[in-house]
Amino acid sequence: MKRVSPLFLVLLVLGFFFATYNLLTMIIHYKTSTSEQWDLSNPFIQMPGNLMEGEGSNSKYHVALTATDAPYSQWQCRIMYYWYKKVKEMPGSDMGKFTRILHSGKPDNLMEEIPTFVVDPLPEGLDRGYIVLNRPWAFVQWLEKAMIDEEYILMAEPDHVFVNPLPNLARGKHPAGFPFFYIKPSDHKHVIRKYYPEEKGPVTNIDPIGNSPVIIKKSVLEKIAPTWMNISLRMKDDPVTDKAFGWVLEMYAYAVASALHDVHHILHKDFMLQPPWDTEVGKKFIIHYTYGCDYNLKGELTYGKIGEWRFDKRSYLSGPPPRNLSLPPPGVPESVVRLVKMVNEATENIPNWDTLNRG
């Protein structure tokens, strides 16, 4: 084996340091931003100005998520699909059919368990290690080739769990989206203007969203998706943009693409909660377990430090979490307890849980 140079090791350590620092900064900001900036008594943060009062939609929506054939993606998809089936027929749900859009280019061992549509990945090397770049390309292919009965589509992700029946939150041609505190187009005007020219209007026209969760009319997404894909590739190809947006680049690309097509989202803060920062489930619809949950045995959250008790999806990169995870200690917020209980219920009831998708 070749000897690793000291310079490479130094650069690697620095890279991990800055990545960790940026994540901690975003986490700490998240804790304060939701209560300081948003009116928590109002489920709507922003409504498009031309939305007629009372205009709504009771149409069914198709649940779609993109995924790979890696064990890390598979076990999350299995839990997500389990809760989709449980919630789908509950009163208040407008869920239609379900599709896992598999962008690995070939069938995997979950084809019989989860409704799946196989699409091609981007050409080798084009994603530059940023696998999420395959998401818009996957949706483009699925929209072009699949038979989709529903008029609306919910773009979801494997690490989403349905915690309450989800109605169709879209209103006619206006999609429903979730406002992310870290998507701030106005803070990156010099970058945004490379893709959103001044003649289209102010940068504030761009919603602070990603593509998921979003409920959107199929005909509207068919127009946005190719633009979303092209802008994602352009952004990744530009070093300045890539550095500015990092791991949320594809989210910015969707927001810009929507604005270019004059599509404005209803920003719905109750669409989703993200433990451990959102502590109560309440009437929210989706638990997004993207953040690690680390606590000491007193039930206190430990910032940036592995806790005496923890649940973090990244602890299970090569295979699924075991059945019957230990519950959090007393004092841990309801949202985290509910999440672990839901994971435990799913893993207890999904056949071949421990063996089917272990890498």
Side-chain angles (χ1 to χ4, degrees):
M1 294 179 63
K2 293 184 178 179
R3 188 176 180 182
V4 178
S5 72
L7 177 60
F8 175 78
L9 292 176
V10 171
L11 291 175
L12 186 62
V13 171
L14 286 174
F16 276 113
F17 170 78
F18 285 114
T20 303
Y21 174 80
N22 289 336
L23 179 59
L24 286 174
T25 301
M26 292 177 67
I27 286 173
I28 293 169
H29 178 70
Y30 180 83
K31 186 183 179 187
T32 58
S33 65
T34 53
S35 60
E36 291 178 354
Q37 297 177 11
W38 299 343
D39 177 7
L40 300 184
S41 65
N42 186 352
F44 300 103
I45 294 171
Q46 179 178 316
M47 299 282 281
N50 57 345
L51 180 60
M52 295 292 292
E53 185 175 354
E55 180 185 355
S57 175
N58 295 319
S59 298
K60 296 286 185 179
Y61 57 82
H62 193 109
V63 180
L65 71 157
T66 59
T68 73
D69 59 2
Y72 177 65
S73 177
Q74 287 184 323
W75 69 255
Q76 294 175 54
C77 289
R78 299 182 81 191
I79 292 174
M80 200 270 199
Y81 185 58
Y82 172 86
W83 283 103
Y84 156 81
K85 290 187 294 183
K86 287 210 66 171
V87 172
K88 179 177 183 291
E89 302 302 332
M90 290 183 179
S93 168
D94 286 326
M95 291 178 175
K97 297 178 181 178
F98 184 103
T99 299
R100 178 183 63 134
I101 308 172
L102 182 64
H103 55 76
S104 299
K106 60 183 185 300
D108 67 357
N109 56 355
L110 294 181
M111 301 295 292
E112 295 184 6
E113 179 178 332
I114 303 175
T116 300
F117 191 90
V118 180
V119 298
D120 293 325
L122 289 168
E124 186 175 358
L126 194 59
D127 65 9
R128 303 186 185 185
Y130 180 54
I131 197 168
V132 184
L133 214 58
N134 284 277
R135 183 177 294 157
W137 172 224
F139 270 106
V140 167
Q141 295 175 80
W142 179 63
L143 290 165
E144 288 180 349
K145 300 175 182 179
M147 294 293 296
I148 307 166
D149 296 331
E150 295 85 353
E151 186 180 4
Y152 289 83
I153 293 167
L154 165 64
M155 292 189 285
E157 296 182 14
D159 60 353
H160 287 177
V161 174
F162 295 107
V163 70
N164 279 311
L166 176 60
N168 187 345
L169 301 175
R171 297 293 180 265
K173 66 179 181 179
H174 296 285
F178 177 79
F180 288 91
F181 75 93
Y182 49 78
I183 302 298
K184 297 182 176 181
S186 295
D187 288 358
H188 301 281
K189 289 182 181 180
H190 65 291
V191 175
I192 290 291
R193 283 303 186 195
K194 295 182 179 183
Y195 314 95
Y196 189 75
E198 290 189 12
E199 55 264 29
K200 288 297 295 182
V203 171
T204 52
N205 285 347
I206 301 171
D207 295 327
I209 57 167
N211 81 288
S212 175
V214 163
I215 299 178
I216 187 170
K217 203 166 188 177
K218 181 173 64 175
S219 58
V220 176
L221 183 58
E222 286 171 340
K223 296 176 182 178
I224 293 175
T227 308
W228 171 28
M229 180 190 71
N230 290 331
I231 290 179
S232 295
L233 293 172
R234 285 177 55 201
M235 285 183 170
K236 190 63 180 175
D237 197 48
D238 180 66
V240 174
T241 306
D242 192 21
K243 181 179 179 180
F245 294 158
W247 62 276
V248 295
L249 179 148
E250 168 268 342
M251 297 172 69
Y252 271 101
Y254 175 80
V256 171
S258 299
L260 286 171
H261 288 277
D262 298 317
V263 174
H264 301 287
H265 296 66
I266 304 166
L267 303 184
H268 204 298
K269 72 173 184 62
D270 283 347
F271 207 153
M272 187 169 74
L273 68 147
Q274 302 185 96
W277 315 111
D278 296 313
T279 59
E280 297 180 358
V281 174
K283 296 182 179 180
K284 296 179 175 66
F285 302 108
I286 294 172
I287 293 180
H288 182 210
Y289 55 97
T290 190
Y291 296 105
C293 300
D294 288 277
Y295 292 86
N296 61 27
L297 296 183
K298 297 179 181 178
E300 298 168 337
L301 187 63
T302 59
Y303 295 96
K305 179 182 177 182
I306 294 177
E308 296 172 280
W309 180 94
R310 79 179 325 226
F311 175 75
D312 188 339
K313 66 177 184 177
R314 296 163 192 83
S315 299
Y316 309 102
L317 294 175
S318 61
R323 285 173 164 154
N324 196 29
L325 294 169
S326 63
L327 293 179
V332 170
E334 174 215 4
S335 61
V336 179
V337 177
R338 184 81 170 271
L339 169 61
V340 176
K341 286 183 176 180
M342 293 181 76
V343 169
N344 281 345
E345 178 180 330
T347 61
E348 179 65 27
N349 289 283
I350 297 174
N352 302 315
W353 174 256
D354 293 321
T355 58
L356 183 61
N357 58 2
R358 182 169 291 281

